[in-house]
Amino acid sequence: MHEEQAPAWVVDPGTPSVARMYDYYLGGKDNFAADPDNPRSIVIDGDMREPESILGHPGVLAHLDFTRPVALIMLAVLHFVTDDAEAAQLVGAFREPLVPGSHLVVSHITQGELDEDAVRRGRDVYTATTAGGIVPRTAAQVRSLLDGLDVLEPGVVPLHRWRPKTVEVEWNGMPGGDILGGVGRVT
Ligand SMILES: C[S@@+](CC[C@H](N)C(=O)[O-])C[C@H]1O[C@@H](n2cnc3c(N)ncnc32)[C@H](O)[C@@H]1O
């Protein structure tokens, strides 16, 4: 999500689309109440650093049946929690109500080939946004967020190594940095 690729003036908050991803540019406002094409979806406001406010939200409790397996999808969000202990603690809190058969899906930026200066400059950019900060983590650190789960093959690896035969676009990862992905099953 580079500024040149997603200028605020081309984001139409009235249309359900990938513009959802650009809420930095919308300042957290004018996001979609729900996808009107899918009455089975809901959207709530919440801060993942306060898991209980999300897990205990009346909309979530009405929508999800926690006696059955649930997919907890935390894509490209945990790197905004820059404190390692806090990241582990909040993942643990979200996992806590999940029954066996549930899955946790994570993706997370990693330093890859970037040098420390590039990482510092990138982090400075995010510190100045509503995200408040960002931190790359190693595969081992991301893997540790799945501790206690049955980690599915191929493990915590760059995203393009996940089901590479099912995507049509040729993708060899980001230049320099990368995004790791992993899936853990609650047993
Ligand atoms: C890179 S986008 C990923 C969006 C989506 N998960 C995806 O993969 O397309 C990062 C998202 O994290 C959200 N985010 C950042 N910090 C958050 C927090 N403390 N609580 C909830 N969401 C947060 C941002 O609002 C933004 O929507």
Side-chain angles (χ1 to χ4, degrees), residues 107-171:
S107 70
H108 198 294
I109 60 159
T110 195
Q111 181 166 347
E113 307 290 319
L114 295 177
D115 62 32
E116 296 299 331
D117 187 53
V119 169
R120 182 189 54 74
R121 283 186 283 119
R123 294 190 67 173
D124 285 349
V125 168
Y126 276 90
T127 301
T129 70
T130 54
I134 195 165
V135 65
R137 292 193 169 92
T138 65
Q141 287 175 309
V142 177
R143 172 68 179 72
S144 75
L145 295 171
L146 303 178
D147 277 353
L149 301 178
D150 185 8
V151 178
L152 306 189
E153 292 296 331
V156 175
V157 295
L159 288 185
H160 62 281
R161 286 186 49 201
W162 267 94
R163 309 284 188 266
K165 292 182 179 148
T166 62
V167 291
E168 291 174 13
V169 179
E170 192 72 26
W171 170 249

Side-chain angles (χ1 to χ4, degrees), residues 28-113:
K29 300 187 177 77
D30 299 326
N31 294 314
F32 307 104
D35 183 340
D37 294 332
N38 183 358
R40 299 181 67 186
S41 73
I42 64 163
V43 177
I44 64 159
D45 283 330
D47 187 331
M48 67 179 162
R49 292 167 298 188
E50 297 167 0
E52 64 290 347
S53 72
I54 295 173
L55 291 168
H57 189 284
V60 171
L61 293 174
H63 193 69
L64 296 177
D65 177 358
F66 283 103
T67 68
R68 301 175 62 198
V70 167
L72 170 59
I73 300 173
M74 306 188 87
L75 296 182
V77 292
L78 290 170
H79 41 230
F80 297 116
V81 183
T82 54
D83 182 84
D84 292 341
E86 184 183 12
Q89 184 270 329
L90 75 86
V91 170
F94 279 110
R95 275 172 42 180
E96 210 276 325
L98 303 187
V99 298
S102 299
H103 287 72
L104 168 61
V105 185
V106 296
S107 70
H108 198 294
I109 60 159
T110 195
Q111 181 166 347
E113 307 290 319

